[in-house]
Amino acid sequence: MAETVLTSADLILPIFIHDREEILPVPSMPGVSRLSIPALVDMVGTARDLGIPCIALFPAIDPSLKTDDGSEAWREDNVICRAVAEIKRQVPGIGVLCDVALDPFTSHGHDGIVHEDYVVNDETVAALVRQAVAQARAGCDIIAPSDMMDGRIGAIRQALDEAGFDAVRIMSYAAKYASAFYGPFRDAIGTKMAKGRLDKSTYQMDPANSNEALKEVAFDLQEGADMVMIKPGLPYLDIIRRVKDAFKVPTYAYQVSGEYAMLRGAVDNGWMDERVILEALMSFKRAGADGILSYFSIEAARRLRAG
Ligand code: PBG
């Protein structure tokens, strides 16, 4: 009688990498580490063998390579591009999704180029286009702009097509909220601001808004997004349902770092039963998501396999 089914084919595994040999645990995300490229290749092989169809890559960039304009983002042999090429060479049969945004690469940690305390839209879009084309050239299958600038989906689609990458798909982070649930992620990629808080509320969405999410999704679809994403996940299940009902397009949810930290911490401390992991993932599917980005993907796929 089950109306909803969760399988390993619903999962996308986000992975943190860095350009170093050691494997560095992320303290606020027990069980998650920054990997070297060889360790990444192993993990991607494990994911593929468990039936996970796609992974998502996020870099922790050496502080010496970070600049105000984030230009490391479009250097063609940066760590992301080399990692993608290595996966494509060694692990056939699994998709690779790359995040497009400047935050891992900028000295200030914002997703775009800053002028006088403000992230400027159009100059940032031009930079994102260069980043997306570099990633496609490295072999990335899905470009996922997470920056929330206006007009970037259309600009990236046009640039990808002109460069001959018409088969590269775009998953837009269409409704991305200015959320404190991203805290552990900012530890993982090293963008937590030393002083004060990194406030992205001039370009990410107000958690109070729901109609606005539909507007953002409509723009991105008009501009050529193949799939849309809502983020964070669990506190925004209502948005997933509204988007799915309104547009009926491939709709994804990101169970973000803070959601992982909450569940992981509670399970590891014995405060909640480990069944909460699959229950939370199932809730995304019930809400209408076609797939879920989750740091639990490998563990969840193993649990699903064990039955
Ligand atoms: C950056 C980006 C963020 C996440 C994915 N891409 C953080 C942010 O916007 O500050 C968050 C993912 C997570 O918390 O797991 N553009």
Side-chain angles (χ1 to χ4, degrees):
M1 299 296 279
E3 296 171 28
T4 309
V5 183
L6 176 72
T7 75
S8 59
D10 297 318
L11 302 171
I12 297 177
L13 171 68
I15 308 176
F16 299 111
I17 56 166
H18 59 184
D19 205 359
R20 291 162 68 168
E21 276 169 28
E22 88 265 40
I23 291 170
L24 198 69
V26 180
S28 50
M29 300 179 74
V32 173
S33 298
R34 294 179 185 173
L35 305 183
S36 62
I37 291 182
L40 165 72
V41 167
D42 285 350
M43 185 173 283
V44 176
T46 303
R48 180 199 55 192
D49 296 346
L50 283 164
I52 294 169
C54 189
I55 63 108
L57 282 181
F58 295 95
I61 298 296
D62 192 285
S64 69
L65 295 173
K66 296 189 185 191
T67 55
D68 280 353
D69 68 353
S71 57
E72 175 69 7
W74 53 88
R75 204 168 56 82
E76 299 224 337
D77 65 343
N78 69 20
V79 66
I80 283 289
C81 294
R82 279 183 284 124
V84 173
E86 212 44 40
I87 293 169
K88 287 292 152 191
R89 206 168 62 78
Q90 295 196 49
V91 199
I94 187 164
V96 177
L97 177 154
C98 285
D99 209 71
V100 167
L102 301 184
D103 55 322
F105 307 94
T106 52
S107 35
H108 41 73
H110 274 294
D111 290 16
I113 293 166
V114 176
H115 284 317
E116 286 163 11
D117 261 18
Y118 200 82
V119 174
V120 288
N121 195 88
D122 296 4
E123 215 176 302
T124 298
V125 169
L128 299 170
V129 162
R130 297 176 74 178
Q131 180 184 21
V133 171
Q135 291 172 345
R137 205 161 270 144
C140 172
D141 301 292
I142 303 174
I143 293 289
S146 71
D147 52 281
M148 289 296 278
M149 297 301 119
D150 292 336
R152 89 278 203 218
I153 299 297
I156 289 172
R157 181 72 272 163
Q158 189 185 343
L160 288 174
D161 290 353
E162 282 168 10
F165 299 113
D166 46 297
V168 170
R169 276 137 291 177
I170 297 180
M171 178 189 287
S172 107
Y173 286 68
K176 179 176 178 181
Y177 287 86
S179 172
F181 282 97
Y182 309 147
F185 175 95
R186 293 179 189 170
D187 281 335
I189 67 162
T191 59
K192 207 159 239 181
M193 295 298 259
K195 298 187 231 116
R197 295 203 183 117
L198 192 51
D199 178 4
K200 301 191 176 182
S201 59
T202 64
Y203 45 104
Q204 298 180 348
M205 281 182 55
D206 181 345
N209 289 359
S210 164
N211 292 328
E212 188 189 6
L214 300 187
K215 256 174 71 181
E216 293 280 2
V217 168
F219 282 135
D220 287 359
L221 290 171
Q222 271 161 24
E223 291 177 31
D226 300 287
M227 322 162 228
V228 295
M229 188 211 294
I230 288 95
K231 175 184 178 190
L234 212 54
Y236 297 86
L237 289 181
D238 56 319
I239 310 296
I240 298 172
R241 170 51 66 198
R242 285 194 75 188
V243 166
K244 186 66 191 183
D245 285 350
F247 298 99
K248 301 182 173 56
V249 297
T251 303
Y252 293 79
Y254 199 142
Q255 182 189 48
V256 299
S257 55
E259 298 175 62
Y260 174 84
M262 287 195 304
L263 295 177
R264 178 87 280 161
V267 168
D268 289 355
N269 279 295
W271 298 333
M272 290 196 290
D273 188 87
E274 59 188 19
R275 284 175 304 170
V276 293
I277 295 170
L278 292 185
E279 183 180 334
L281 291 171
M282 177 68 83
S283 76
F284 294 112
K285 291 234 38 211
R286 194 192 60 239
D290 297 291
I292 307 134
L293 288 91
S294 172
Y295 301 97
F296 285 115
S297 291
I298 286 194
E299 183 176 342
R302 287 208 173 106
R303 286 173 192 275
L304 289 166
R305 180 166 284 193

Short mmCIF file of all heavy atoms in Angstrom, two decimals, residues 242-264:
data_model
loop_
_atom_site.label_atom_id
_atom_site.label_comp_id
_atom_site.label_asym_id
_atom_site.label_seq_id
_atom_site.Cartn_x
_atom_site.Cartn_y
_atom_site.Cartn_z
N ARG A 242 4.71 22.80 -3.51
CA ARG A 242 4.12 23.85 -4.37
C ARG A 242 4.80 23.89 -5.73
O ARG A 242 4.14 24.04 -6.75
CB ARG A 242 4.25 25.23 -3.70
CG ARG A 242 3.28 25.45 -2.56
CD ARG A 242 3.21 26.93 -2.18
NE ARG A 242 2.46 27.74 -3.14
CZ ARG A 242 2.39 29.06 -3.11
NH1 ARG A 242 3.03 29.74 -2.16
NH2 ARG A 242 1.70 29.72 -4.00
N VAL A 243 6.12 23.77 -5.74
CA VAL A 243 6.86 23.83 -7.01
C VAL A 243 6.48 22.63 -7.88
O VAL A 243 6.21 22.78 -9.08
CB VAL A 243 8.38 23.88 -6.76
CG1 VAL A 243 9.16 23.61 -8.04
CG2 VAL A 243 8.77 25.25 -6.17
N LYS A 244 6.44 21.46 -7.28
CA LYS A 244 6.12 20.27 -8.08
C LYS A 244 4.71 20.37 -8.66
O LYS A 244 4.49 20.07 -9.83
CB LYS A 244 6.26 19.01 -7.19
CG LYS A 244 6.10 17.72 -7.96
CD LYS A 244 7.25 17.54 -8.94
CE LYS A 244 6.99 16.41 -9.90
NZ LYS A 244 8.12 16.17 -10.81
N ASP A 245 3.77 20.79 -7.83
CA ASP A 245 2.38 20.89 -8.30
C ASP A 245 2.24 21.95 -9.39
O ASP A 245 1.50 21.76 -10.35
CB ASP A 245 1.44 21.24 -7.13
CG ASP A 245 1.21 20.04 -6.22
OD1 ASP A 245 1.62 18.92 -6.60
OD2 ASP A 245 0.63 20.23 -5.14
N ALA A 246 2.96 23.07 -9.25
CA ALA A 246 2.79 24.17 -10.19
C ALA A 246 3.47 23.89 -11.53
O ALA A 246 2.94 24.25 -12.58
CB ALA A 246 3.33 25.47 -9.58
N PHE A 247 4.65 23.27 -11.52
CA PHE A 247 5.44 23.19 -12.76
C PHE A 247 5.58 21.78 -13.33
O PHE A 247 5.87 21.62 -14.51
CB PHE A 247 6.84 23.79 -12.54
CG PHE A 247 6.79 25.24 -12.17
CD1 PHE A 247 6.89 25.65 -10.85
CD2 PHE A 247 6.61 26.21 -13.15
CE1 PHE A 247 6.83 26.99 -10.50
CE2 PHE A 247 6.55 27.55 -12.82
CZ PHE A 247 6.66 27.94 -11.49
N LYS A 248 5.47 20.77 -12.47
CA LYS A 248 5.57 19.37 -12.94
C LYS A 248 6.84 19.11 -13.73
O LYS A 248 6.84 18.41 -14.74
CB LYS A 248 4.32 19.00 -13.75
CG LYS A 248 3.06 19.16 -12.92
CD LYS A 248 1.80 18.75 -13.64
CE LYS A 248 0.60 18.77 -12.72
NZ LYS A 248 0.36 20.06 -12.04
N VAL A 249 7.93 19.70 -13.27
CA VAL A 249 9.23 19.46 -13.91
C VAL A 249 10.09 18.66 -12.92
O VAL A 249 9.75 18.56 -11.74
CB VAL A 249 9.94 20.79 -14.26
CG1 VAL A 249 9.13 21.58 -15.28
CG2 VAL A 249 10.21 21.63 -13.01
N PRO A 250 11.22 18.11 -13.40
CA PRO A 250 12.11 17.41 -12.46
C PRO A 250 12.53 18.35 -11.33
O PRO A 250 13.10 19.41 -11.57
CB PRO A 250 13.29 17.00 -13.35
CG PRO A 250 12.69 16.89 -14.72
CD PRO A 250 11.68 18.00 -14.79
N THR A 251 12.20 17.95 -10.12
CA THR A 251 12.33 18.82 -8.94
C THR A 251 13.20 18.11 -7.90
O THR A 251 12.92 16.96 -7.55
CB THR A 251 10.93 19.12 -8.36
OG1 THR A 251 10.14 19.73 -9.39
CG2 THR A 251 11.00 20.04 -7.16
N TYR A 252 14.21 18.79 -7.43
CA TYR A 252 15.15 18.18 -6.49
C TYR A 252 15.17 18.94 -5.18
O TYR A 252 14.84 20.12 -5.13
CB TYR A 252 16.56 18.14 -7.12
CG TYR A 252 16.57 17.18 -8.28
CD1 TYR A 252 16.06 17.58 -9.52
CD2 TYR A 252 16.97 15.86 -8.13
CE1 TYR A 252 15.97 16.68 -10.57
CE2 TYR A 252 16.89 14.97 -9.17
CZ TYR A 252 16.39 15.38 -10.39
OH TYR A 252 16.30 14.49 -11.41
N ALA A 253 15.56 18.22 -4.13
CA ALA A 253 15.68 18.84 -2.82
C ALA A 253 17.10 18.64 -2.33
O ALA A 253 17.71 17.59 -2.59
CB ALA A 253 14.71 18.18 -1.84
N TYR A 254 17.63 19.63 -1.64
CA TYR A 254 18.95 19.49 -1.05
C TYR A 254 18.78 19.38 0.47
O TYR A 254 18.37 20.34 1.11
CB TYR A 254 19.82 20.71 -1.41
CG TYR A 254 21.32 20.51 -1.26
CD1 TYR A 254 22.20 21.07 -2.17
CD2 TYR A 254 21.87 19.80 -0.19
CE1 TYR A 254 23.58 20.92 -2.05
CE2 TYR A 254 23.25 19.64 -0.06
CZ TYR A 254 24.10 20.21 -0.99
OH TYR A 254 25.46 20.07 -0.86
N GLN A 255 19.07 18.19 1.00
CA GLN A 255 19.11 18.02 2.45
C GLN A 255 20.48 18.55 2.88
O GLN A 255 21.50 17.88 2.71
CB GLN A 255 18.96 16.53 2.80
CG GLN A 255 18.94 16.24 4.29
CD GLN A 255 19.03 14.76 4.57
OE1 GLN A 255 19.89 14.06 4.00
NE2 GLN A 255 18.18 14.25 5.43
N VAL A 256 20.52 19.79 3.38
CA VAL A 256 21.80 20.50 3.49
C VAL A 256 22.59 20.07 4.72
O VAL A 256 22.13 19.28 5.56
CB VAL A 256 21.60 22.03 3.47
CG1 VAL A 256 20.95 22.46 2.16
CG2 VAL A 256 20.81 22.51 4.68
N SER A 257 23.78 20.64 4.81
CA SER A 257 24.75 20.26 5.84
C SER A 257 24.17 20.34 7.26
O SER A 257 24.42 19.45 8.07
CB SER A 257 25.98 21.15 5.73
OG SER A 257 25.63 22.52 5.79
N GLY A 258 23.41 21.39 7.55
CA GLY A 258 22.85 21.53 8.90
C GLY A 258 21.81 20.47 9.20
O GLY A 258 21.68 20.02 10.35
N GLU A 259 21.09 20.04 8.18
CA GLU A 259 20.12 18.96 8.38
C GLU A 259 20.86 17.65 8.65
O GLU A 259 20.46 16.85 9.50
CB GLU A 259 19.24 18.79 7.13
CG GLU A 259 18.41 20.02 6.80
CD GLU A 259 17.67 19.82 5.48
OE1 GLU A 259 16.84 18.90 5.39
OE2 GLU A 259 17.94 20.58 4.53
N TYR A 260 21.95 17.44 7.92
CA TYR A 260 22.78 16.26 8.17
C TYR A 260 23.32 16.30 9.60
O TYR A 260 23.23 15.31 10.33
CB TYR A 260 23.95 16.22 7.16
CG TYR A 260 24.95 15.12 7.45
CD1 TYR A 260 24.73 13.83 6.97
CD2 TYR A 260 26.09 15.37 8.20
CE1 TYR A 260 25.64 12.81 7.24
CE2 TYR A 260 27.00 14.35 8.48
CZ TYR A 260 26.78 13.07 7.99
OH TYR A 260 27.67 12.07 8.27
N ALA A 261 23.86 17.47 10.00
CA ALA A 261 24.46 17.59 11.32
C ALA A 261 23.43 17.29 12.42
O ALA A 261 23.74 16.60 13.40
CB ALA A 261 25.05 18.98 11.51
N MET A 262 22.21 17.78 12.25
CA MET A 262 21.17 17.55 13.27
C MET A 262 20.88 16.07 13.43
O MET A 262 20.83 15.53 14.53
CB MET A 262 19.85 18.22 12.86
CG MET A 262 19.82 19.70 12.96
SD MET A 262 18.12 20.33 12.87
CE MET A 262 17.54 19.67 11.34
N LEU A 263 20.65 15.41 12.28
CA LEU A 263 20.25 14.00 12.35
C LEU A 263 21.43 13.14 12.79
O LEU A 263 21.29 12.26 13.64
CB LEU A 263 19.72 13.53 10.99
CG LEU A 263 18.43 14.20 10.51
CD1 LEU A 263 18.05 13.71 9.12
CD2 LEU A 263 17.28 13.92 11.48
N ARG A 264 22.59 13.40 12.21
CA ARG A 264 23.79 12.63 12.55
C ARG A 264 24.10 12.76 14.03
O ARG A 264 24.35 11.78 14.73
CB ARG A 264 24.96 13.17 11.71
CG ARG A 264 26.32 12.56 11.94
CD ARG A 264 26.55 11.33 11.08
NE ARG A 264 25.91 10.18 11.65
CZ ARG A 264 25.61 9.05 10.99
NH1 ARG A 264 25.91 8.94 9.73
NH2 ARG A 264 25.05 8.06 11.60
#
